[in-house]
Amino acid sequence: MSADMLPPDGSYIEMTSYGETLPEVRVVHASGTVITLSLARAHVPPEHSTVELRWAAAPRGRYAQEGHVAAVDGNRVEIHFTGEPLVLQSRSFVRGGGGEPIVMSRDDHEDATGTVHDMSERAVRAHFTDVHVKPGDEMTLRINVGGELVAFPATVLKASSMRQQVPVRGPLSVEMVALFDDQDEGQAKIIRRYIMQHQLLSRRRGL
């Protein structure tokens, strides 16, 4: 496999072994048809077993590559690739963020400001206070991602609300999932880049 197709050393990939998928497995080194991974001992696959690995493929998607476990040394696993990698196109596998301000604009309603729980280039899950929304409602959502403003027409997929009752009657708390209707590639790219930077910073803080 060419070097530009391989995941970089120190990056995190997804591994499936015996039906169990581990979302963050660290790459120690990858070269040619061999990759060495580091993971918790409890999740180390046995020698000679078959695994599937997946990692980001530019500009959008994932590589899916099968391999067999050639050697195990403690928490490190050496895997030899078998066959050729497949490219899985996916517009929404990059998902993350959280805490960003989001503004909901609707006809005949005042703008409402909420907070993002997480988002992808196709959808957002957010919290609002004292708004009434239901599945199918249409709106425009504006999100500030790292100093850049993106705006998408969107349609509500799911919505749930609960009013605080104890110790006193309080505001209506609303959780909403909305799908973006306009797949503007420029704005989608801003979200992907922001989320990947956000994930990288989070991992660095965890080291």
Side-chain angles (χ1 to χ4, degrees), residues 172-192:
L172 188 69
S173 178
V174 179
E175 298 286 334
M176 180 189 77
V177 176
L179 300 179
F180 300 139
D181 300 328
D182 182 10
Q183 295 300 318
D184 181 283
E185 179 58 27
Q187 296 194 93
K189 184 176 180 180
I190 292 172
I191 290 181
R192 286 197 300 272

Side-chain angles (χ1 to χ4, degrees), residues 1-11 13 26-38 53 55 65 77-79 81:
M1 189 185 301
S2 62
D4 59 346
M5 296 171 64
L6 293 168
D9 296 355
S11 64
I13 66 174
R26 187 170 66 85
V27 177
V28 177
H29 183 65
S31 178
T33 60
V34 179
I35 186 170
T36 302
L37 306 175
S38 175
L53 308 177
W55 64 91
Q65 173 68 64
V77 179
E78 181 181 298
I79 294 171
F81 295 139

Side-chain angles (χ1 to χ4, degrees), residues 82-203:
T82 55
E84 296 297 322
L86 297 176
V87 177
L88 307 176
Q89 293 297 324
S90 172
R91 295 187 60 87
S92 59
F93 83 91
V94 177
R95 188 173 189 87
E100 299 80 9
I102 180 172
V103 177
M104 175 196 303
S105 297
R106 295 177 290 169
D107 293 339
D108 302 322
H109 291 81
E110 293 186 1
D111 287 358
T113 300
T115 304
V116 171
H117 283 314
D118 57 60
M119 59 184 162
S120 74
E121 63 190 78
R122 292 194 61 185
V124 63
R125 185 167 62 97
H127 174 269
F128 290 88
T129 301
D130 284 337
V131 299
H132 294 277
V133 294
K134 63 184 184 300
D137 283 357
E138 297 180 348
M139 60 190 63
T140 297
L141 296 174
R142 300 191 302 276
I143 310 171
N144 190 319
V145 289
E148 296 183 86
L149 187 67
V150 294
F152 293 93
T155 302
V156 177
L157 177 66
K158 300 178 183 178
S160 62
S161 60
M162 181 175 63
R163 186 176 298 279
Q164 176 183 310
Q165 299 290 349
V166 179
V168 295
R169 182 178 171 84
L172 188 69
S173 178
V174 179
E175 298 286 334
M176 180 189 77
V177 176
L179 300 179
F180 300 139
D181 300 328
D182 182 10
Q183 295 300 318
D184 181 283
E185 179 58 27
Q187 296 194 93
K189 184 176 180 180
I190 292 172
I191 290 181
R192 286 197 300 272
R193 183 175 66 240
Y194 171 76
I195 291 174
M196 294 179 78
Q197 291 172 343
H198 188 276
Q199 292 173 339
L200 181 60
L201 288 173
S202 296
R203 289 183 183 127

